[in-house]
Amino acid sequence: MEKNLKRMATMQRMQCTGLELFYQQGYYNTSIDDILKKLSLSKGAFYYHFQSKEDFFISIVQNLLFQKVYSTLVEPIEGREDPLNVISKAIEDALETAEHNDLDYGFVLSNFITEFNGKNPEIMKYLMDILKVWEVNLITTLQKGKSDGYIDRHVDSEAVATYVISSYIGIRTLMVEGNPKMLRYKYIQQLKNYFKLISYKTIA
């Protein structure tokens, strides 16, 4: 039992460090040696836990990356009332966290999607599955909002979800090199204005 816990703790530490390096440097610019040097581990220790660099990255995607995106952008809106306000708050909170991150390199999921697109179909599938979870939850939340009278019934929930995802990815990219506080403020104001346009007009 203790040995198993120690193994899990080591894997978790390796995955956290791996995600940090892959996010900062990119997958293809980061070697196993880079990861081992950061962790002060031997190659034997790495291959005891993972078959390859790709296997290691997939384990990071399935565990850390999924949880990171889910806890930030999916969980806060799941099954909630007043969906437009809930969605805009979840996005604003995520942007505020990024704003105060001194080592911000953009939205981690979209960075990896850009890097792997056309290069590794297997890893792309894992990444797109995470994006799909977010999209499906947005659509479900918006549809519920239409049924509950918060959103105009003629609104295309899939189109709104696409807009929210693509605009979020865009603003995260701009925040890396621009003025993050100003960009966040302007983006959220425009997002709220857009949400007002699609809300059910008799709601106070």
Side-chain angles (χ1 to χ4, degrees):
M1 178 72 174
E2 188 179 332
K3 189 178 179 182
N4 199 36
L5 286 172
K6 189 176 178 182
R7 182 173 180 270
M8 286 171 66
T10 302
M11 286 178 69
Q12 174 82 1
R13 188 165 69 94
M14 291 169 73
Q15 288 170 340
C16 287
T17 300
L19 179 58
E20 179 187 329
L21 289 175
F22 289 140
Y23 176 55
Q24 291 175 5
Q25 301 173 185
Y27 175 84
Y28 291 106
N29 289 331
T30 304
S31 67
I32 290 174
D33 285 339
D34 292 333
I35 296 160
L36 296 177
K37 186 178 178 183
K38 182 95 172 176
L39 287 162
S40 300
L41 286 176
S42 66
K43 276 197 175 178
F46 179 87
Y47 287 109
Y48 174 75
H49 296 287
F50 304 101
Q51 294 176 358
S52 63
K53 179 183 169 184
E54 184 175 304
D55 177 52
F56 176 54
F57 185 78
I58 289 170
S59 77
I60 290 170
V61 172
Q62 289 179 312
N63 295 290
L64 302 186
L65 189 56
F66 176 83
Q67 186 55 41
K68 190 179 183 70
V69 174
Y70 187 85
S71 63
T72 306
L73 297 166
V74 177
E75 195 172 23
I77 69 171
E78 230 173 3
R80 299 284 300 278
E81 298 293 324
D82 198 1
L84 298 177
N85 281 329
V86 165
I87 291 169
S88 62
K89 185 179 186 314
I91 288 176
E92 185 166 19
D93 287 347
L95 293 179
E96 194 168 357
T97 299
E99 180 192 325
H100 294 103
N101 180 6
D102 293 334
L103 296 172
D104 181 36
Y105 296 92
F107 182 35
V108 59
L109 178 60
S110 64
N111 286 6
F112 288 142
I113 288 172
T114 300
E115 184 173 11
F116 286 102
N117 192 19
K119 293 179 182 174
N120 191 313
E122 186 183 0
I123 288 178
M124 274 298 289
K125 183 185 178 301
Y126 286 106
L127 296 171
M128 294 307 292
D129 281 349
I130 297 176
L131 198 64
K132 194 68 182 174
V133 168
W134 184 21
E135 181 189 24
V136 167
N137 275 274
L138 278 170
I139 292 168
T140 302
T141 302
L142 292 163
Q143 286 292 100
K144 184 177 184 301
K146 286 166 71 172
S147 301
D148 294 347
Y150 287 99
I151 300 171
D152 190 281
R153 64 189 180 88
H154 299 294
V155 167
D156 183 341
S157 297
E158 289 186 17
V160 175
T162 299
Y163 166 75
V164 168
I165 291 169
S166 57
S167 65
Y168 177 79
I169 290 171
I171 196 63
R172 286 290 285 105
T173 303
L174 291 174
M175 284 173 67
V176 175
E177 295 295 335
N179 180 329
K181 186 173 184 177
M182 182 188 71
L183 286 166
R184 173 177 64 85
Y185 174 77
K186 287 185 174 181
Y187 171 75
I188 290 297
Q189 290 307 113
Q190 291 306 309
L191 183 67
K192 287 178 177 177
N193 287 339
Y194 169 63
F195 280 172
K196 280 179 188 174
L197 294 174
I198 64 172
S199 64
Y200 191 65
K201 298 305 181 286
T202 61
I203 295 291

